[in-house]
Amino acid sequence: MKEQQLEPKRALILSGGGGRGAYHCGVYEYLETIGWRPDILVGTSIGAINAAAIASGRTATQLKELWLKLDTGRVQRLRTDILDFDRWTYLLDTSPWRRSLLEDGWFDFDYINSDRSPTLAIVATDVWTGDITVFCNRPLEKSRSGGPHSKKVRCEPISLNHIMASCSIPILYPWTSTGSEEATYWDGAVVSNTPLGTALRAGATEIVVVLLSPWEEKGAISPESRTSFKLWTLPGLALDWVLLASFRADLKLCEALNMFAAAYELLDREQRQKLAERLLGTATAEEQNALLERLESYNFVQPPTIIAPRQLLPVEQIVTYDPTVHRQLFKQGFADAVRDMRHMVTSE
């Protein structure tokens, strides 16, 4: 197996986490300072909003200014139709959020849906099937790296509904339709909060992942702070671990495939043929050759650079938006990016 020489493609993956998404701004500010510009943007939930803003050509400074205009009242409000409670499928009305995104100029959809924009992939969850659905402004290739891949990809012009679909937290916010009644979606974080496979399908060779939950397995919760958790704060802790689960699985799969690729390269022609026979059993020679061709096409998947807070962020920041907190998260994201990206070499 020979490693293919591919044109480098940088991918920025922004995970979900509600109001914690201000952290993304600080990371992106650092990326700008070192000249690291993404060719591919993948976003889930609040990450979809930030990714779409960046794909619209917004700079880190502009993105921070947009965030400083957001407070909880400009994102959501309590429902007032209490008499129709038995018909409720969600708790909070997000029409203020739609209005804020449009009035403040977060997105330029003409730019996003043109050839000038980076590849933009937005992840949502099909309400009725639970499938991962990826909306993308251009076609994604079938995965040839051997890495994980998304189940359903829809290449179509990106609209506000696609972005809001990715942000539709189940029960808390209304689900979002992108067309017909059957095309109804919840937050992408339900199934895939940090879709590594989507970036690989887009051809990424260098990946930066920004998480809004602690990545390191040790130290995220100090022994002293464990006693401070109460009944109403424990769901936030559970949510953090759920949001990380799919990404951990994707990362382990990539590691396993890299080990297989390394082992496969050591096999001679006869050994590879025997491997195909063992994997396919009584398959025809044509089927075995097709498998060998597929195995030959596998590339090594470079481990992503992961930027994440060292400690848990307060759970209330998921559903609240406060400019004072946003400023703190800008600084924290920038500082964590400095710490985690010192090894990166840029072209500028």
Side-chain angles (χ1 to χ4, degrees):
M1 182 187 311
K2 295 182 180 179
E3 187 172 352
Q4 299 179 9
Q5 297 298 317
L6 301 175
E7 181 182 349
K9 282 191 176 182
R10 293 170 172 169
L12 178 61
I13 303 178
L14 302 178
S15 68
R20 298 172 175 180
Y23 181 94
H24 293 153
C25 302
V27 174
Y28 189 59
E29 181 180 13
Y30 178 73
L31 294 179
E32 278 193 345
T33 65
I34 65 171
W36 195 96
R37 301 184 184 282
D39 305 297
I40 302 161
L41 289 153
V42 182
T44 301
S45 195
I46 196 65
I49 286 180
N50 285 333
I54 295 169
S56 297
R58 308 296 179 249
T59 65
T61 297
Q62 291 171 329
L63 190 58
K64 288 165 64 177
E65 290 173 351
L66 291 168
W67 267 88
L68 291 176
K69 294 180 180 180
L70 279 185
D71 57 33
T72 303
R74 299 195 73 214
V75 172
Q76 64 210 21
R77 65 188 177 196
L78 291 172
R79 296 185 62 162
T80 57
D81 54 340
I82 189 66
L83 296 179
D84 292 327
F85 178 75
D86 61 330
R87 300 180 184 178
W88 283 15
T89 55
Y90 62 93
L91 298 175
L92 297 175
D93 176 8
T94 54
S95 58
W97 205 356
R98 284 177 172 269
R99 186 164 53 251
S100 297
L101 293 172
L102 291 174
E103 290 179 354
D104 293 343
W106 282 70
F107 314 119
D108 181 340
F109 290 109
D110 288 337
Y111 189 88
I112 287 175
N113 295 308
S114 72
D115 293 337
R116 296 171 294 163
S117 170
T119 296
L120 173 64
I122 292 171
V123 181
T125 303
D126 190 307
V127 171
W128 308 120
T129 66
D131 289 339
I132 301 171
T133 301
V134 178
F135 302 108
C136 194
N137 62 349
R138 55 182 56 98
L140 297 183
E141 297 293 334
K142 292 183 178 179
S143 178
R144 297 182 62 83
S145 64
H149 59 276
S150 303
K151 298 294 183 182
K152 189 187 302 182
V153 176
R154 292 179 55 179
C155 176
E156 57 192 54
I158 300 298
S159 69
L160 182 59
N161 277 346
H162 295 103
I163 298 168
M164 294 301 296
S166 186
C167 299
S168 299
I169 302 173
I171 302 176
L172 193 63
Y173 296 153
W175 57 51
T176 303
S177 296
T178 61
S180 65
E181 284 290 330
E182 292 76 18
T184 305
Y185 300 95
W186 267 332
D187 196 313
V190 172
V191 179
S192 182
N193 190 48
T194 315
L196 179 60
T198 300
L200 294 173
R201 287 192 67 172
T205 58
E206 184 178 312
I207 301 174
V208 172
V209 175
V210 187
L211 303 175
L212 300 178
S213 303
W215 171 247
E216 295 183 347
E217 296 182 358
K218 296 182 179 180
I221 307 174
S222 66
E224 297 78 17
S225 65
R226 294 175 187 179
T227 59
S228 65
F229 281 92
K230 308 297 181 185
L231 178 63
W232 55 89
T233 60
L234 286 174
L237 177 62
L239 179 62
D240 274 303
W241 303 149
V242 167
L243 294 179
L244 286 174
S246 62
F247 178 61
R248 291 187 190 277
D250 276 0
L251 199 59
K252 287 180 179 179
L253 179 56
C254 287
E255 292 170 355
L257 287 164
N258 277 346
M259 292 178 65
F260 170 81
Y264 186 83
E265 191 171 357
L266 298 176
L267 302 179
D268 59 30
R269 178 75 182 175
E270 183 178 352
Q271 290 171 324
R272 294 179 184 184
Q273 191 69 45
K274 288 182 178 180
L275 175 62
E277 292 173 359
R278 184 168 183 177
L279 291 174
L280 293 180
T282 59
T284 65
E286 183 178 349
E287 291 171 330
Q288 292 177 5
N289 289 334
L291 174 61
L292 288 172
E293 184 179 351
R294 180 181 177 188
L295 295 178
E296 289 283 354
S297 71
Y298 284 0
N299 298 311
F300 288 94
V301 178
Q302 295 297 327
T305 296
I306 302 170
I307 303 172
R310 288 293 190 263
Q311 301 291 324
L312 283 171
L313 300 175
V315 63
E316 61 270 16
Q317 290 178 4
I318 295 178
V319 293
T320 60
Y321 292 76
D322 181 341
T324 300
V325 175
H326 297 165
R327 289 188 177 91
Q328 296 170 357
L329 290 172
F330 297 161
K331 294 178 180 179
Q332 185 173 353
F334 188 93
D336 289 345
V338 171
R339 178 196 63 217
D340 293 331
M341 294 192 66
R342 289 176 178 171
H343 67 286
M344 299 294 287
V345 177
T346 67
S347 60
E348 296 183 13

